[in-house]
Amino acid sequence: DAGVIQSPRHEVTEMGQEVTLRCKPISGHNSLFWYRQTMMRGLELLIYFNNNVPIDDSGMPEDRFSAKMPNASFSTLKIQPSEPRDSAVYFCASSRLEETQYFGPGTRLLVL
Amino acid sequence: DQQVKQNSPSLSVQEGRISILNCDYTNSMFDYFLWYKKYPAEGPTFLISISSIKDKNEDGRFTVFLNKSAKHLSLHIVPSQPGDSAVYFCAVPHHDKVIFGPGTSLSVIP
């Protein structure tokens, strides 16, 4: 199994631009999670999906952030417009319901 | 308010010695606990878990101890190896989510 796949691995963009992060979960997993890791706040859960349905988006920092899961094998996290304080590593993780989460390698985002 | 706390942001240990990483939690209803390990430029990976029906779980060099009355758990690594240098997260599954502690960065010095 290829594990959780995230793309791009690195993204550098300018303030105000739209950023789209992509995730392919492990086949057969029905839960998908988006996390953000920063030095100040550690690993924060942004949003998670069960069976492609968003369950809890209370961690999404503001309306500039949105996430979709159009099917069981793909999810996106979009930031529009991006700001320098969005610079962080964004992780996607997947699991079978209530089982151990498997993390992707992360996308390192830098907003200038 | 943090429900899972790791009060030591970093720890340095000599190779061959024991590493002890601590974690405290606030909710006495938590009944299952996880440790994740994270290398730079990689995502966290599951390391070891413990259920509240046990007070110890061992897997090779890694042992997790749970003290329910103190709402405290610890991860022991013995003997520590340079390849153990990583960030260790204590985590608790809660409803459909996992609550992560802030992590402890372990450096094992050769």
Side-chain angles (χ1 to χ4, degrees):
Chain A
D1 196 325
V4 176
I5 299 172
Q6 290 187 248
S7 64
R9 293 295 308 275
H10 302 272
E11 176 83 29
V12 181
T13 191
E14 292 187 341
M15 183 173 66
Q17 296 297 305
E18 178 179 294
V19 174
T20 300
L21 311 181
R22 297 173 176 80
C23 176
K24 176 178 167 55
I26 293 173
S27 177
H29 284 189
N30 51 11
S31 296
L32 183 139
F33 307 80
W34 281 102
Y35 291 88
R36 177 172 68 176
Q37 184 182 26
T38 62
M39 289 293 294
M40 294 296 295
R41 301 174 68 90
L43 200 58
E44 301 175 88
L45 177 64
L46 301 177
I47 185 172
Y48 75 97
F49 297 82
N50 281 348
N51 297 314
N52 313 338
V53 176
I55 303 300
D56 184 350
D57 66 354
S58 59
M60 297 285 261
E62 46 195 274
D63 291 346
R64 298 183 298 105
F65 285 69
S66 63
K68 294 182 179 179
M69 192 166 186
N71 57 61
S73 59
F74 184 65
S75 177
T76 59
L77 177 68
K78 188 172 292 187
I79 310 172
Q80 166 62 19
S82 58
E83 297 182 3
R85 60 193 168 120
D86 302 331
S87 298
V89 182
Y90 291 80
F91 290 103
C92 175
S94 71
S95 72
R96 299 185 203 278
L97 195 62
E98 297 189 7
E99 294 187 4
T100 301
Q101 293 183 20
Y102 292 84
F103 282 76
T107 295
R108 187 173 295 273
L109 173 65
L110 178 61
V111 183
L112 302 173
Chain B
D1 190 25
Q2 277 190 336
Q3 298 189 68
V4 179
K5 303 176 186 179
Q6 294 176 258
N7 292 323
S8 297
S10 62
L11 176 68
S12 288
V13 172
Q14 204 72 31
E15 180 178 4
R17 307 294 291 268
I18 184 171
S19 297
I20 300 177
L21 298 98
N22 293 305
C23 176
D24 297 287
Y25 58 95
T26 58
N27 189 337
S28 59
M29 299 299 290
F30 291 160
D31 61 4
Y32 192 66
F33 304 89
L34 312 166
W35 284 94
Y36 278 80
K37 176 179 181 178
K38 182 186 176 308
Y39 292 118
E42 295 183 13
T45 56
F46 170 72
L47 181 61
I48 192 170
S49 64
I50 189 166
S51 164
S52 62
I53 63 173
K54 301 173 75 172
D55 54 16
K56 175 182 174 181
N57 188 27
E58 189 172 353
D59 183 3
R61 296 184 298 110
F62 301 88
T63 303
V64 57
F65 295 92
L66 175 62
N67 182 334
K68 290 185 290 294
S69 60
K71 296 202 276 290
H72 176 84
L73 63 156
S74 60
L75 175 67
H76 293 212
I77 307 172
V78 56
S80 301
Q81 299 174 355
D84 297 329
S85 298
V87 177
Y88 291 79
F89 293 97
C90 174
V92 178
H94 188 54
H95 301 303
D96 290 342
K97 303 187 289 190
V98 175
I99 302 170
F100 284 85
T104 296
S105 178
L106 173 67
S107 295
V108 180
I109 304 163

